[in-house]
Each structure stands twice: as structure tokens, then as C-alpha cells.
Amino acid sequence: MVTAPHEALHHVFLQDKTLYARVLRRLGVEVGEPARVEEETTDLTETRPLERRVDSLSRVKDTGGEYLIAPQSRTGVDPLKPAAWAYYVAFLMSKYRLPVLLLVATASHRTAKWADRAHDHGVADWSALTVRPLVVGPDTLAPVTDPEEARRDLALAALTVMTHATSPAVDATMKALSAALRDQAEAIALAYLELVAQGLGTTEAGIKWRSLVATDLSFFTSPLSEELREEGRAEGQARSLLKVLRARGIEVPDESRARVESCADTATLDTWLDRALVATTLAEVFALPE
């Protein structure tokens, strides 16, 4: 199933169409300076009723020649996926008569380790076709933690936030990008703000990103940024409420904790927090006003 984090991990390569070149160089693959990058159709459907689509596809012409970049997003291990990758590469080479570089982006250490190898397709010891993706992940792409570096390359900084979503460096990458976005034109800042929010989803890092948006980037306005700020405020209030209840010795069952953490209404959370300061039972906190 296609999810927002899945889409964001390859859409970042469309947000800045020359990002692929900088990523490849960081991964040790030397490519020329992009002269032209054109987005191509992602539809690999044949005349027979079988539909296959790549996540993203760009046709690149640089100082070294012309080739295709096919960024793919993976959130988990799928034993059947390498066969699809083989199909993509073979089909694209046949259709465009150009070399193909398959780029797999992931925030998962396990998925990165699984993808980062030669995937052989054949019988016994004979491989008829081998597909070797170039993996962009937390173990291969260094995090951007310096605001100045993030300011110079917003797309790369955003990509490292998403690929390091579950690594210890994620807080530093988010702070660097947040600081860098403060100096950008609102349209540019909002594009990256929303892309990263989609990429992180409802993970712990996603919650932290929303909190940053609610404070560091509070001067930007858009439907999503307002939504993120509201979510950030609600999450902060929920944490405060649970801390107060714990400090006052009021036990919070899992069901009630889930009710607090899932509440997005800041007015309701304010009411519960006020009651928690004087209540002696959880029932008094959740009681409806008389």
C-alpha cells in the first residue's frame, strides 16, 4: 500500500531534480554535472493486462552522457521486490536504450542491509540477470546536522531527515533543517516542511517534527503548517497532562492513556489539564462539565 512516507522518500528527488547527483557522489558514484533532467512517465504497463509502475523516473543528461534515474522507496523487506526491480531495469533499458540506475531509499537499517547487494535471478549457480540497487539509507547517507550545510542544500537535508528517521542523528537533522528553513521564502520552506511531515508520518520523529514546526516555524502559514502546529500543541498538552497525573499519583490505564494521546482538541486537553491539577481521581479529570 502506498503511504505518505513512501511517497515523500522518492518525491524529494522531484522537489530538486539535481539532488540525485549530489546523493550519488556522497555514495561514491561519480557522475557529471547535470545539464538537463526531465521527469518521465512512471507507467511501465505493457499491452497485455499487467500494470507496473516505478515510483519516480528521471531522464538525465550530464557531462558524462545520458541515463535514467529510477528512485524507489522501501519501508520494509519484500522478497518479491527484486524481481520487480529486474523487470523495471530491463524494461527501461529496452524502451529508452539508455543505462538505468536504480536508487532505493529507506529509513530502515534492516531494509537497507537487505537491499544493498546484488540480487541474482537465474537457475542454480547461473545468474541470467543481476540487479544491484544503490541504497540511500541511514548507513550509507551521512546525516546533515549543520544548519549552514542544510541551508546550502535543502533537498539533501530533507532526505537525510527522512532516511535517519529511526537513527540517533534524527534530532540533529531536524533541528538543522528547521533552522535552515527559517531563512527561506515561505513557498520553498512550506514545500519542504510538508514533504518531511509526510515522510516521517506518525513516527516518533514525525511527532518531534510537528513540535518543531509549532515553535521554530510558527511564522509560516498554510493549511498543513497550521494543522502541524495544532498537532504539535495538542501533543505537548497531552504529555503535560500525563506528567501531572503521574506526579499526583493518579494511575492512568492504557485505554485512558490512548484517549489522551489521540486527542487533537487543544481546548479539551486544556480542560483536562486544569482538572488534573486539583482532581483526586481520573474520573474527575474526564468528567463532563456540569
Side-chain angles (χ1 to χ4, degrees), residues 234-235 237-238 241 260 263-274:
E235 287 155 3
Q237 287 173 307
L241 172 58
V260 170
C263 182
D265 186 347
T266 54
T268 298
L269 287 165
D270 267 337
T271 299
W272 290 347
L273 186 55
D274 288 342

Side-chain angles (χ1 to χ4, degrees), residues 12-56:
V12 67
F13 289 94
L14 300 179
Q15 182 72 24
D16 181 337
K17 289 187 173 62
T18 63
L19 171 63
Y20 79 90
R22 302 190 296 281
V23 170
L24 295 188
R25 292 188 189 111
R26 283 189 169 231
L27 299 181
V29 179
E30 287 301 323
V31 294
E33 284 300 318
R36 187 179 72 244
V37 180
E38 298 175 347
E39 188 176 348
E40 294 283 349
T41 177
T42 60
D43 191 347
L44 307 186
T45 306
E46 299 183 75
T47 52
R48 57 183 175 146
L50 173 66
E51 182 177 341
R52 296 184 185 273
R53 291 180 184 271
V54 290
D55 289 340
S56 300

Side-chain angles (χ1 to χ4, degrees), residues 162-243:
M162 291 185 281
T163 54
H164 284 270
T166 59
S167 76
V170 67
D171 286 351
T173 63
M174 288 192 294
K175 289 176 182 176
L177 180 58
S178 175
L181 290 179
R182 291 177 63 87
D183 303 329
Q184 305 302 315
E186 184 165 341
I188 294 173
L190 290 177
Y192 284 106
L193 182 158
E194 297 177 6
L195 184 66
V196 171
Q198 290 175 349
L200 296 177
T202 57
T203 62
E204 182 179 348
I207 294 172
K208 290 181 179 179
W209 177 248
R210 284 161 169 76
S211 296
L212 271 178
V213 169
T215 53
D216 289 2
L217 304 174
S218 59
F219 46 87
F220 288 130
T221 58
S222 78
L224 181 55
S225 61
E226 287 300 323
E227 177 186 332
L228 294 179
R229 277 192 283 276
E230 187 66 16
E231 288 179 7
R233 283 191 288 267
E235 287 155 3
Q237 287 173 307
R239 287 194 297 269
S240 297
L241 172 58
L242 292 172
K243 285 181 181 179

Side-chain angles (χ1 to χ4, degrees), residues 108-119:
S108 164
H109 293 273
R110 178 170 177 264
T111 303
K113 184 177 181 181
W114 160 76
D116 192 15
R117 61 182 176 86
H119 297 266

Side-chain angles (χ1 to χ4, degrees), residues 126-183:
W126 187 267
S127 177
L129 179 62
T130 298
V131 177
R132 185 184 176 190
L134 187 63
V135 176
V136 182
D139 299 317
T140 58
L141 187 63
V144 174
T145 58
D146 176 44
E148 284 303 319
E149 184 181 1
R151 198 169 284 114
R152 290 192 298 269
D153 197 334
L154 295 174
L156 181 63
L159 179 61
T160 67
V161 170
M162 291 185 281
T163 54
H164 284 270
T166 59
S167 76
V170 67
D171 286 351
T173 63
M174 288 192 294
K175 289 176 182 176
L177 180 58
S178 175
L181 290 179
R182 291 177 63 87
D183 303 329

